[in-house]
Amino acid sequence: MDITNDRHSQHISSQFNQELESLKTHLMGMGGLVERQIQEAVAALLDNDSRAAEKVRDNDRQVNEMQLRIDDECTQILARRQPAASDLRLVLAVTRAASDLERIGDEANKIARNALTLIELGETTRGYTEVRRIAGQVREMVRQSLTAFARFDTELALGVLEDDETVDEEYRSAMRSLVTFMMEDPRAISPVLHVLWILRALERVGDHANNLAESVIYLVKGLDIRHAPEHPRASLSRKRGDRDADNDTDKA
């Protein structure tokens, strides 16, 4: 059932409503933190700010603690409330989303770690333009996927899935360019390798934002598209067509 036609806010138990809303609020808080982690890790690199990079690394523990808290809340709801239908999907989607957000935090930590190494090397190297561009794209993907989760907005989630394809192409192009540069100037290999690892971390952030968007579609439509052979829009259209056909049969 579509969650928009089965809102969890209609429970008789106001306490259950509060627990579900609290779950969403804590997930959004965690999302806001990891989004800032990405922003600050990249800014530390571009601004040559080792203190800011260290702060990102220190905050990784907070991200982990937030995931543990959310997982515990989900476990308590499953045990005490035994949710069904859209409520169960909400709890499962939050669990999946928290896992992806924690991994985004891990990628921010990797960016900060490589930024510290580049700052210590004290060399201006190639690839910073690509880092800035791809970082902006994946941060927007994270933001949009979280907004889609908060609003139960599948159209916004589908937009994130399509943006991931653009990020993947940007990443491949940057990799080709930087590998060519290293082949032409072997002295640049050491610093450029760290830039490549940062770009790889950013590409992984995009993948996790993509996973968040897939969780939104599962939450709202009850459709798991993680390994679907067809385009997500086609899957949703087919599901909508099947539902309309069932309605016509019922009327007949």
Side-chain angles (χ1 to χ4, degrees), residues 197-241:
W197 290 330
I198 288 172
L199 287 169
R200 174 57 177 163
L202 289 170
E203 190 269 340
R204 290 295 297 149
V205 170
D207 288 343
H208 289 301
N210 187 82
N211 293 345
L212 289 169
E214 290 175 346
S215 292
V216 173
I217 293 170
Y218 168 73
L219 166 61
V220 178
K221 300 296 183 181
L223 181 64
D224 192 338
I225 61 169
R226 286 178 294 179
H227 306 294
E230 58 189 349
H231 192 278
R233 288 191 184 275
S235 296
L236 285 177
S237 296
R238 179 167 52 79
K239 183 177 178 65
R240 189 178 300 114

Side-chain angles (χ1 to χ4, degrees), residues 1-8 11 16 20 78 81-93 218-223:
M1 180 181 290
D2 190 322
I3 198 171
T4 56
N5 297 322
D6 182 30
R7 293 195 179 278
H8 63 262
H11 289 300
F16 191 12
L20 293 174
L78 289 171
R81 301 295 183 180
Q82 299 182 353
S86 63
D87 296 326
L88 178 59
R89 293 207 308 272
L90 175 61
V91 175
L92 295 178
Y218 168 73
L219 166 61
V220 178
K221 300 296 183 181
L223 181 64

Side-chain angles (χ1 to χ4, degrees), residues 16 19-20 23 67-83 87-88 90-92 94-96 98:
F16 191 12
E19 290 170 2
L20 293 174
L23 201 57
Q67 183 194 17
L68 292 175
R69 177 181 179 180
I70 289 170
D71 282 350
D72 183 63
E73 288 182 86
C74 290
T75 300
Q76 292 295 325
I77 289 174
L78 289 171
R80 289 164 34 209
R81 301 295 183 180
Q82 299 182 353
D87 296 326
L88 178 59
L90 175 61
V91 175
L92 295 178
V94 167
T95 301
R96 281 165 45 173

Side-chain angles (χ1 to χ4, degrees), residues 118 121 123-126 178-196:
L118 286 166
L121 288 173
E123 298 179 28
T124 300
T125 187
R126 292 281 291 271
L178 291 173
V179 168
T180 299
F181 178 67
M182 287 191 295
M183 292 172 63
E184 294 173 349
D185 184 4
R187 294 171 300 176
I189 289 176
S190 179
V192 172
L193 276 176
H194 290 286
V195 176
L196 290 176

Side-chain angles (χ1 to χ4, degrees), residues 2 7 13-14 16 22 25 36 38 59 74 110 120 123 132 135 148-149 154-155 192 202-203 222 248:
D2 190 322
R7 293 195 179 278
S13 170
S14 61
F16 191 12
S22 175
T25 299
R36 290 194 302 274
I38 293 295
N59 284 344
C74 290
K110 292 176 187 176
E120 290 171 4
E123 298 179 28
R132 181 183 288 106
F149 204 111
T154 56
E155 277 301 312
V192 172
L202 289 170
E203 190 269 340
D248 292 341

